[in-house]
Amino acid sequence: MQYKIGSRGSKLALVQTKYVCERLKEAYPEHSFEIVIVKTKGDKIQNRPLHQIGGKGLFVKEIEEKILKGELHMGVHSMKDMPAQPAEGLVFTKAWKREDPRDVLILREKKCLEGLPKGAVIGTGSKRRAYQLQRIRPDLKIVNIRGNVDTRLRKMEEQQMDGIVLAAAGLKRLGMEQRITQYLESAQMISAPAQGVLALEVREDQKELTAMLDRFSDEKTDQAARAERLFMEKMGGGCHMPVGAICKDIGNGNYHMDVMFGDEHGKKIIFACVEGSHPKKMAEDAEQKIRCQMAGVVTLVGAGPGDPGLLTLKGKKAIEEADCIIYDRLAASELLNYAKADCEMIYAGKENHHHTLKQEEINQLLVEKAMKYQHVVRLKGGDIYVFGRGGEEGLYLKEHGVPFQVVPGISSCVAGPAYAGIPVTHRGLASGFHVVTAHNRRGELAKIDFEAMARSKDTCIFLMGLSKVSEIAQHLMEEGMPPETKTAVISKATMPEQKVCSSDLGHIAEEVEKVKLPSPAIIVVGDVVGLRDSLNVITKEIHTQKKCIVPKIGKGTSCLTKLLKNKNIAVREVQVGEICFKEICLNRKKLRKVHWLIFTSRNGVQGFFKNLYQAGMDARNLSGIQIAVIGEKTGNFLKKYGVFADFVPKEFHEDGFIKEFSETVQKTDVVWYAGGTAGGEKLQETLEGICDFHKLIVYENCQVKESIGHMEEDVLFTCASSVERFIKSMDEKKAEYWKKEGRAYSIGPKTTKKLQEMGVENIVQASEAVYESLVKKYFE
């Protein structure tokens, strides 16, 4: 049979493939073997580092595709260039005896690393090599260099580099061992996993070819390569993260493995060593040692049952200190307002089998982020260990060597009934309570001991069981629980949208069906439900509480929201934008020519002063310039920079400002307006005709898309841009309904005009363009 062997076209790749081909020809003369050259994407792009163009798979994808299609029977690669796992349908055969795994220095003039002058230039395309070199010699200048061996040697001469780093194995296979200046031992540089090992890749159904290739395998090399590559896989290593491993036989079936791992930017590099006889166990032990030294802390935080006011103080502190928060659907979105402005936030919600991330992916993400950040928070609704799979996450973190801590949360199983006026225990009625989840992972009714629950006098609580109300009631009655037993179903417990349906066990299913309760819901069965009429004070408070939505710019809690919450209004914030500050050219000469400086927002103030400070100036350089602001709020914010406004209009909106300022400014005055990329058009159009007007773009209001969800509340708008973004974030059907049926509260004329342009019918405008006036109007 004729076998076609795929290879890249570089000199080294062909030398390696020819070596394999010759061995096969000698051993199997009855077959013929042909080398087919395949050009890969990695060969075509030589001017950028691997981590910028896609990583290791770039050298093998085209060959793998041809093997899968049957155009090639096998591929020959360098194992160090291979991803942790081959493409689906392909396998690696057992490793042949490896060549020298060390890295080496080729120096243009000097004889060793220590002899290089300060600031010497070394070329390498590998983060692993670069960061380890700079650990030994921080003064070295590392430059990116890619290409085959001859190309790199040529670039070293042309660019007058002091040296380059290459793999010893490649140079020896090319017969260029004499070019090596210095071998770098593992104490100096740990090489790439499986460096010096050939990767022979075939389709997994090619059993005969696999057996032919395994005839040449070397047991010690195969064990060592497996340990090294398993470590790389566990660390998620690739071209983005520097990872190294070298495993050596130490006799009696045992091995010693040195490993290293670093962060993406080389700020932290960790080393470890392990010994053992089983590759998988050695890789696990090495991973544990590295992560224990390198990982930040993951805090598993219970967010409480829904009401953001039920978050614990310790949970709030964890959120405030977090560098990254991974949160789920049942964690109140308002809690994210406690986070730092630069905190990375990742939604990992799960609802009715519609998962943003699977649990396994969440586990991996926690480990990944712990390697990047000092403090990661996993924010989960309720309590972290009550049907929250927090135990699974904790075990996974423990297994992977990541330290973690737990902040318990108030569970909905007790808080939900309490908010509905139902104590889960009460003297004379229930001395305890049973809590179970109502469904299994397949969405079916869980295996529940209904007999024990029916026999007991304790309160029975079922979580996540809204779709199973009928089945639960039927099973309890079949096991002897009286049909007249009092029962309640609490939807969206502790939230402003909380609804409660009460009945007896025999009729609860039909009553729930009538009112169409939304999930999530809690089912409570027992005599304590009868106390609801007397104890239902919290629900009454919730139902009389006004509710609204506030579109906001940025991650922090808006000033409007704080005012509303002080009035006991249930506020749901929706982020529609974030402020991105822009650089402008400021200098003293230009500034001395300015007569007026206009600010119409706190963002304009902040953006201008950022540029002022960056130019090496401060408020003293504004001496002689008169400052105009659009209203008191902007004026008060300006005071934080030690500057008081000279001009504040009587009416705090654009039209009022233009009218009054036009009567003040002179035609020869140089006027600067510090604003954003959008807005201020009317101001600019008017003032350009009556003075020497210049607009400085110091910020941009960048759009952020956030799911709005249900739309039962009024919406309070503080700017025109929020109007457009808020409406466009809804699907067309929901938007059209809201524009006709919803109610919008506007802070001023400009915002009102935008609402009218967007087709909103019910608009209420504040009497003054300030937050306090908007809140007052909302209460009327």
Side-chain angles (χ1 to χ4, degrees), residues 683-720:
L683 175 69
Q684 182 172 353
E685 183 182 344
T686 304
L687 295 185
E688 278 180 337
I690 61 173
C691 65
D692 187 0
F693 180 88
H694 302 269
K695 182 175 180 180
L696 310 179
I697 298 176
V698 296
Y699 72 91
E700 181 179 3
N701 186 343
C702 301
Q703 186 166 355
V704 171
K705 289 188 176 180
E706 183 175 311
S707 175
I708 294 176
H710 61 276
M711 283 291 296
E712 298 176 2
E713 308 100 316
D714 297 326
V715 186
L716 278 63
F717 293 99
T718 59
C719 64

Side-chain angles (χ1 to χ4, degrees), residues 176-278:
M176 300 174 67
E177 190 174 355
Q178 75 282 358
R179 293 300 307 265
I180 297 172
T181 306
Q182 180 181 353
Y183 288 91
L184 298 171
E185 303 298 336
S186 57
Q188 296 170 294
M189 181 175 291
I190 296 175
S191 51
Q195 186 161 298
V197 179
L198 295 179
L200 309 180
E201 192 174 26
V202 301
R203 282 202 322 272
E204 60 184 350
D205 60 353
Q206 293 177 298
K207 305 299 183 186
E208 184 179 344
L209 179 57
T210 300
M212 290 167 60
L213 294 168
D214 284 349
R215 175 179 171 182
F216 301 96
S217 66
D218 178 78
E219 181 65 20
K220 292 179 180 178
T221 298
D222 189 62
Q223 289 286 91
R226 282 181 59 206
E228 293 166 19
R229 283 176 56 77
L230 280 169
F231 170 73
M232 178 182 73
E233 182 180 356
K234 287 185 173 296
M235 298 304 300
C239 293
H240 292 277
M241 307 294 275
V243 57
I246 178 66
C247 187
K248 299 175 182 177
D249 171 42
I250 55 174
N252 297 320
N254 292 315
Y255 296 82
H256 175 95
M257 183 165 69
D258 291 301
V259 297
M260 63 79 58
F261 188 81
D263 62 23
E264 191 172 351
H265 305 292
K267 293 179 180 178
K268 194 171 185 180
I269 300 176
I270 303 298
F271 296 83
C273 64
V274 294
E275 292 186 359
S277 57
H278 301 290

Side-chain angles (χ1 to χ4, degrees), residues 9 181 213 238 440 456 480 490 498 686 761:
T181 306
L213 294 168
N440 60 24
S456 170
I490 309 158
Q498 176 176 303
T686 304
E761 296 182 7

Side-chain angles (χ1 to χ4, degrees), residues 54-82:
K56 295 186 173 185
L58 293 174
F59 290 116
V60 300
K61 185 179 178 183
E62 289 83 355
I63 294 175
E64 290 182 331
E65 287 174 348
K66 289 182 180 293
I67 297 173
L68 288 168
K69 289 177 183 176
E71 297 174 18
L72 297 173
H73 294 93
M74 61 178 287
V76 177
H77 319 279
S78 293
M79 187 67 90
K80 74 177 179 66
D81 294 331
M82 301 303 290

Side-chain angles (χ1 to χ4, degrees), residues 358-367 392-393 396:
K358 295 178 180 177
Q359 186 61 50
E360 295 75 17
E361 294 171 326
I362 294 173
N363 295 345
Q364 293 165 8
L365 185 64
L366 286 170
V367 171
E392 294 175 41
E393 293 171 359
Y396 189 89

Side-chain angles (χ1 to χ4, degrees), residues 10 26 39 57 77 81 86 135 149-150 202 211 213 220 234 239 246 275 284 410 417 453 575 628-629 679 693 737:
S10 70
E26 290 174 10
K39 194 149 192 173
H77 319 279
D81 294 331
R135 183 179 68 95
V149 173
D150 289 334
V202 301
L213 294 168
K220 292 179 180 178
K234 287 185 173 296
C239 293
I246 178 66
E275 292 186 359
E284 289 172 349
I410 298 174
M453 297 181 90
Q575 187 180 353
V629 296
F693 180 88
Y737 174 82

